[in-house]
Amino acid sequence: MTKRSITSTAFLIAGLIAGPIPAGMSAEATEAEINKVLPRAELQTWMEEARVPGVSISVIKDFKIHWSRAFGVADAATSRPVTPETRFQAASISKPVMAVAAAVLADRGQLDLDADVGQSLHSWELPRLVKSGSQPITPRMLLSHTSGLDDGLGFPGYEPSEARPDALAILTGRPPAKTPAIVARQAPMTKSRYSGGGSVVMQVLLMDATGKPFPELMQSLVLKPLGMGKSIYQQPLSTKLNADTALAHDNKGRRFNVPWKVYPALAAAGLWSTPTDLALLVSSLQKTKAGQDIKPFTKASASELLSPVGIGSFSAGFNVFQQGEGWYFAHLGANQGYRSFLIGHIAKGYGLVVMTNSDGGFPLIERICRRIQIAYDWDVLETNGEFRFGPQRGLGCLPT
């Protein structure tokens, strides 16, 4: 059997694996409907063009998961199929999931999103910019990339055999950290500048505020209450979980020399998850915003997560923007060998999560997202078909 036919067979097998329907999932979508939206042969062509071995997709409709399907292979070397239960590195989608924990603690009175971080941050002293005067840096600023920590991180990851820094070593730039110390480069709330370092500050702050290790607090505050049973903040990943995990591939669809890199900056890049789990989070947030009682959210915490702070397009966690006539919340993720994206409409109860195991994943995600937008009549189409997120583009989901 040729390599092409092995890949095609694995693609077709994986495409038929639906997996169990989790709580909150609608069983409305039929295989015929899914195939009409995303014909198998066309999707396979897209994957081959993007050099993406495996992709997993969850579509949200009417505030529920309408369908979840997986296509292709988790490992190009063995042709092991991807299933809806297969974990991927969520990369920077780790950040808004972490922000949910901050919003939950704020709602419980255990964290003030608008207070000086020094009130809760005891393990490390956040450097201040002298010219910022008396204006404190707050958790809301860290979560919305408006704190003045203009580091642009993006963490590089570590080979499994390499020594890895803890969170404090990352913040101080102390070896074995590969990145420089986190410092303030501009006054708070003057510009929106992406700061992965700010998410690591939040990781330490949340641990200081609760007295719990970060993986444990994320499990108890967010993942378990939402039923995200395949999701875990764990770096490196336990070997007993490897069988249900997609391996990392380069932009040619080739395996790296290691299964994946390790990302000790847990809050910024350390989450393993599935589209179904992340879609549960998105739909639960949408339901809460619409007035339902979905734990651990409240209307107050949902508002914190979905309201831009006034500088830039971020809320305290998500990128919030207008596209066509609709308002959406979204986030993307990019670790070595993985690309992912989630998006949800703030009011109308539809959305999408896509995860891939290749550096070439974003062009494929663009195509899938636009297809879903058109097939399910999202209101991005209500302005003469223009997509108005950032500069005008031919495809409508990912920012430039």
Side-chain angles (χ1 to χ4, degrees):
M1 185 177 289
T2 66
K3 183 177 180 180
R4 168 70 181 252
S5 63
I6 291 172
T7 302
S8 299
T9 301
F11 178 91
L12 292 171
I13 292 172
L16 296 174
I17 298 173
I21 296 175
M25 175 181 269
S26 167
E28 296 172 5
T30 65
E31 288 300 326
E33 178 183 353
I34 297 169
N35 192 55
K36 184 177 180 181
V37 173
L38 278 177
R40 300 287 189 269
E42 185 175 21
L43 180 57
Q44 183 179 352
T45 297
W46 291 355
M47 292 172 67
E48 290 171 354
E49 290 175 351
R51 308 292 179 88
V52 174
V55 60
S56 189
I57 306 166
S58 284
V59 173
I60 301 163
K61 178 184 177 184
D62 297 331
F63 299 92
K64 293 183 178 180
I65 300 176
H66 188 48
W67 55 266
S68 293
R69 293 295 186 273
F71 307 91
V73 298
D75 179 353
T78 66
S79 295
R80 172 168 56 89
V82 178
T83 78
E85 301 295 301
T86 301
R87 294 180 182 86
F88 294 74
Q89 286 192 1
S92 285
I93 291 177
S94 306
K95 297 177 176 69
V97 180
M98 172 272 293
V100 172
V104 170
L105 289 175
D107 198 51
R108 296 176 180 177
Q110 295 177 254
L111 182 70
D112 187 341
L113 295 181
D114 295 305
D116 189 326
V117 294
Q119 292 187 10
S120 300
L121 184 64
H122 309 303
S123 297
W124 179 69
E125 185 174 354
L126 181 63
R128 305 304 174 94
L129 193 66
V130 174
K131 67 179 181 181
S132 69
S134 60
Q135 184 178 15
I137 293 175
T138 68
R140 189 185 305 277
M141 295 173 189
L142 294 169
L143 294 167
S144 61
H145 305 284
T146 57
S147 66
L149 303 182
D150 189 9
D151 54 69
L153 300 175
F155 292 97
Y158 295 77
E159 299 281 332
S161 60
E162 288 184 290
R164 294 180 294 274
D166 60 14
L168 291 178
I170 294 171
L171 293 178
T172 59
R174 186 178 70 246
K178 297 179 180 180
T179 48
I182 305 304
V183 297
R185 300 188 185 280
Q186 57 193 12
M189 290 295 287
T190 57
K191 294 180 181 179
S192 177
R193 293 292 182 269
Y194 194 78
S195 171
S199 295
V200 182
V201 176
M202 281 300 304
Q203 176 179 330
V204 176
L205 186 150
L206 292 175
M207 291 191 292
D208 283 353
T210 62
K212 294 181 179 180
F214 185 74
E216 180 182 330
L217 71 88
M218 290 304 303
Q219 182 68 25
S220 62
L221 291 176
V222 181
L223 304 180
K224 185 176 181 179
L226 286 172
M228 297 173 66
K230 300 294 289 188
S231 300
I232 187 169
Y233 280 89
Q234 189 179 93
Q235 298 283 338
L237 190 67
S238 170
T239 55
K240 68 181 181 180
L241 302 178
N242 287 359
D244 291 331
T245 303
L247 276 63
H249 298 76
D250 66 15
N251 60 9
K252 301 296 184 183
R254 301 171 301 200
R255 279 265 310 271
F256 287 100
N257 62 333
V258 295
W260 46 71
K261 281 195 171 181
V262 178
Y263 291 83
L266 294 177
L271 176 66
W272 292 91
S273 191
T274 67
T276 303
D277 272 11
L278 293 172
L280 282 172
L281 186 153
V282 171
S283 62
S284 297
L285 188 52
Q286 291 171 318
K287 289 175 184 176
T288 304
K289 183 68 167 58
Q292 297 186 45
D293 184 19
I294 306 296
K295 300 300 181 186
F297 296 115
T298 64
K299 292 202 76 171
S301 61
S303 180
E304 297 287 13
L305 291 163
L306 298 178
S307 302
V309 302
I311 300 292
S313 63
F314 273 87
S315 69
F318 290 94
N319 198 349
V320 180
F321 53 89
Q322 186 178 14
Q323 196 172 14
E325 293 305 307
W327 280 89
Y328 294 82
F329 60 101
H331 213 285
L332 55 79
N335 281 359
Q336 179 179 287
Y338 300 92
R339 299 292 186 270
S340 55
F341 183 67
L342 66 76
I343 184 171
H345 195 287
I346 287 180
K348 293 188 177 180
Y350 45 70
L352 174 71
V353 184
V354 185
M355 305 185 83
T356 72
N357 61 344
S358 168
D359 284 338
F362 281 151
L364 175 65
I365 292 171
E366 285 271 17
R367 282 176 142 172
I368 292 170
C369 189
R370 179 162 181 156
R371 176 62 59 82
I372 297 302
Q373 289 174 330
I374 294 170
Y376 291 99
D377 196 27
W378 290 15
D379 56 12
V380 296
L381 307 177
E382 294 178 10
T383 307
N384 299 320
E386 296 175 356
F387 296 88
R388 302 193 305 187
F389 180 20
Q392 205 66 40
R393 296 180 50 147
L395 294 170
C397 290
L398 301 181
T400 54

